[in-house]
């Protein structure tokens, strides 16, 4: 599954791509597809979205990828891997450099699900993905998702239930019982708040170290770190890979994360000490400095001591709606690409899809065109601008 090398699945795939998808556009405009990695699922998504953008803009396809993908890129109609002097009409990539300032549209294709992508349109001048994307996704959320929360709620509840990552606790009584068991196992005081600091990336080092320093000087809470921490204190535990989701989530009264987290959707407040596309949707408490992190930790521990939480009902609902948008509303089902969950037979499944599915009317092309025409920051499976969109009693669009 990793890559399309030699053998029957690769030959079938290349033949299907050449026959139905290998046309080349002429002209000076071009779209760059940056297809990184060794996973055919990532590369196929990137190339297919780039082809859709090429069709919209009547532009050539230029693919930048590892050598093993050269045959597949050429089958998709790539005109080479050398960038012309003029800037591209768009960049489609599986790996975005968040801090890089760009003056062309950037489509960031995500893994998992059917098809997911975020797009940054620099209509007001050069911008960086890191600085602009959360605000634009947040604006989309406030305009199109939050006002429809009552209609979407049943689907959001179902999406949250299906996305529990192995967490099987059904009631607060079960959670309390497992929490007491976990505290006894780790030698922690169950009457104190337990703060779990989740894994971080190298770029999050400053705030991770700030959390570790705070924990070292705080005796009013228990602390769990999923990454190694240098402090040796009675209330600090490094639990990298040693706890199941059931125990970890049951122990956690407050989470400190460095990106998106679904925990608030399940009633666990999160202090987000890092960046994510949905950071402005109101699901987490976002902090940008050690001082902000310390103030929020003070508030969270103090509220817990009084039997309260920094997670309010509205924030929990926002978290469930953001989870629904990521996993449902912004997950486009398409016959052209097999689902991410396909296993070792992905190359053959992709070959069959490309050989027999027609692009006319396929949701991939419809969604890309809608996103491009509307300058929307996220690919969606239906048109949020259509005020006549109705939802079924289960919260799904008709």
């Amino acid at each position: 599954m990793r890559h399309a090398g030699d053998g029957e699945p690769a030959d079938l795939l290349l033949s299907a791509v050449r026959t139905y998808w290998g046309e080349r556009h002429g002209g000076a405009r071009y779209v760059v597809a940056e297809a990184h990695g060794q996973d055919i699922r990532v590369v196929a998504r990137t190339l297919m979205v780039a082809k859709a953008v090429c069709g919209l803009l009547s532009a050539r396809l230029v693919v930048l990828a590892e050598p093993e993908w050269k045959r597949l890129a050429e089958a998709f109609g790539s005109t080479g891997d050398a960038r012309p002097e003029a800037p591209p009409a768009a960049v489609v990539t599986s790996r975005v450099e968040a801090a890089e300032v760009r003056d062309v549209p950037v489509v960031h294709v995500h893994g998992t699900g059917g098809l997911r992508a975020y797009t940054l349109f620099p209509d007001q001048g050069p911008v960086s993905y890191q600085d602009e994307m959360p605000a634009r996704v947040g604006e989309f959320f406030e305009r199109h998702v939050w006002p429809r929360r009552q209609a979407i709620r049943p689907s959001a509840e179902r999406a949250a239930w299906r996305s529990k990552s192995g967490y099987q606790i059904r009631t607060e009584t079960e959670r309390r019982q497992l929490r007491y068991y976990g505290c006894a196992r780790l030698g922690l005081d169950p009457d104190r708040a337990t703060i779990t600091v989740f894994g971080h990336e190298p770029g999050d080092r400053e705030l991770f170290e700030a959390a570790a320093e705070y924990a070292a000087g705080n005796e009013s809470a228990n602390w769990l770190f999923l990454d190694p921490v240098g402090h040796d204190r009675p209330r600090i535990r490094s639990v990298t890979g040693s706890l199941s989701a059931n125990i970890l989530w049951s122990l956690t009264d407050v989470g400190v994360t460095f990106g998106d987290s679904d925990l608030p959707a399940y009633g666990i407040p999160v202090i987000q000490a890092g960046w994510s596309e949905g950071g402005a949707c109101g699901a987490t408490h976002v902090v940008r400095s050690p001082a902000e992190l310390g103030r929020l930790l003070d508030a969270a521990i103090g509220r817990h001591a009084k039997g309260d939480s920094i997670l309010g009902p509205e924030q929990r609902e926002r978290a469930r709606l953001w989870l629904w948008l990521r996993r449902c509303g912004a997950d486009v089902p398409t016959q052209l690409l097999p689902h991410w969950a396909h296993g070792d037979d992905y190359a053959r499944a992709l070959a069959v899809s490309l050989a027999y599915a027609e692009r006319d009317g396929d949701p991939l092309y419809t969604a890309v065109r809608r996103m491009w025409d509307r300058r929307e920051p996220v690919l969606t499976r239906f048109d949020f601008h259509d005020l006549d969109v109705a939802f079924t009693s289960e919260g799904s669009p008709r």
Side-chain angles (χ1 to χ4, degrees):
M1 183 187 71
R2 289 286 181 155
H3 56 79
D6 298 320
E8 183 183 3
D11 293 339
L12 288 172
L13 176 57
L14 293 173
S15 176
V17 172
R18 290 192 195 99
T19 302
Y20 296 96
W21 307 90
E23 79 282 359
R24 287 174 166 83
H25 293 281
R29 304 184 80 188
Y30 69 102
V31 170
V32 170
E34 297 176 344
H36 300 293
Q38 301 296 312
D39 196 322
I40 190 173
R41 298 173 298 182
V42 175
V43 174
R45 286 163 181 250
T46 304
L47 294 178
M48 285 299 298
V49 173
K51 285 292 288 187
V53 176
C54 285
L56 280 175
L57 305 180
S58 298
R60 296 181 288 119
L61 175 65
V62 174
V63 178
L64 304 180
E66 282 76 9
E68 59 263 35
W69 299 115
K70 182 178 180 180
R71 295 169 64 204
L72 184 60
E74 290 176 346
F76 266 102
S78 173
T79 60
D81 58 3
R83 292 179 184 243
E85 292 184 4
V91 174
V92 181
T93 181
S94 59
R95 261 185 230 161
V96 69
E97 295 293 336
E100 183 179 357
V101 176
R102 302 251 201 176
D103 57 2
V104 300
V106 176
V107 184
H108 183 202
V109 180
H110 278 230
T112 74
L115 175 64
R116 300 173 186 174
Y118 296 93
T119 302
L120 183 63
F121 295 98
D123 296 330
Q124 306 300 322
V127 293
S128 74
Y129 193 90
Q130 178 175 285
D131 291 339
E132 289 291 325
M133 184 56 74
R136 298 192 185 188
V137 172
E139 181 184 4
F140 182 92
F141 182 92
E142 295 296 336
R143 181 180 299 175
H144 300 295
V145 179
W146 182 245
R148 291 175 171 162
R149 57 190 177 276
Q150 291 185 349
I152 298 172
R153 187 175 294 137
S155 185
E157 294 294 315
R158 186 170 60 253
W161 178 256
R162 295 175 62 185
S163 306
K164 296 178 77 172
S165 303
Y167 187 61
Q168 300 170 348
I169 305 306
R170 294 168 294 181
T171 67
E172 279 301 310
T173 299
E174 289 182 353
R175 181 181 185 272
R176 283 194 301 271
Q177 291 172 340
L178 197 54
R179 185 178 188 278
Y180 274 93
Y181 165 78
C183 285
R185 172 177 161 182
L186 295 173
L188 300 174
D189 183 352
D191 293 328
R192 298 175 186 266
T194 298
I195 316 296
T196 299
V197 181
F198 289 82
H200 71 291
E201 300 293 331
D204 305 318
R205 191 70 195 176
E206 180 187 13
L207 289 176
F208 176 80
E209 291 179 349
E213 289 295 327
Y214 184 101
N218 183 276
E219 293 295 325
S220 59
N222 305 316
W223 295 86
L224 306 179
F225 282 82
L226 269 66
D227 283 344
V229 62
H231 299 293
D232 183 15
R233 299 289 190 275
R235 301 195 188 281
I236 297 178
R237 300 288 185 274
S238 181
V239 294
T240 305
S242 64
L243 298 179
S244 68
N246 284 327
I247 294 180
L248 183 63
W249 286 25
S250 295
L251 281 170
T252 301
D253 297 306
V254 180
V256 177
T257 70
F258 300 88
D260 258 326
S261 173
D262 292 336
L263 290 178
Y266 307 108
I268 302 171
V270 161
I271 299 171
Q272 183 177 326
W275 183 93
S276 73
E277 286 92 351
C281 293
T284 61
H285 298 273
V286 180
V287 298
R288 295 178 175 83
S289 70
E292 285 184 284
L293 176 61
R295 286 194 293 269
L296 261 176
L297 285 171
D298 286 340
I301 295 170
R303 294 280 285 272
H304 184 272
K306 298 176 181 179
D308 200 358
S309 171
I310 60 171
L311 178 71
E314 178 178 316
Q315 191 175 40
R316 181 180 181 277
E317 182 156 27
R318 285 178 174 273
R320 293 213 162 191
L321 290 169
W322 169 236
L323 185 153
W324 171 86
L325 180 61
R326 289 195 342 264
R327 295 178 180 266
C328 298
D331 186 8
V332 179
T334 166
Q335 295 185 49
L336 302 176
L337 289 169
H339 194 277
W340 184 265
H342 274 273
D344 292 338
D345 201 35
Y346 193 89
R348 185 184 296 275
L350 178 59
V352 172
S353 297
L354 297 184
Y356 294 103
E358 296 296 333
R359 71 183 75 184
D360 295 343
D362 187 88
L364 183 152
Y365 279 81
T366 305
V368 170
R369 177 177 291 278
R370 180 171 58 242
M371 178 186 68
W372 208 268
D373 291 345
R374 300 280 175 78
R375 290 305 199 248
E376 292 179 344
V378 60
L379 202 68
T380 59
R381 69 168 61 185
F382 62 95
D383 186 357
F384 279 93
H385 284 253
D386 185 357
L387 297 180
D388 293 330
V389 166
F391 287 83
T392 68
S393 60
E394 294 185 345
S396 301
R398 295 184 189 276

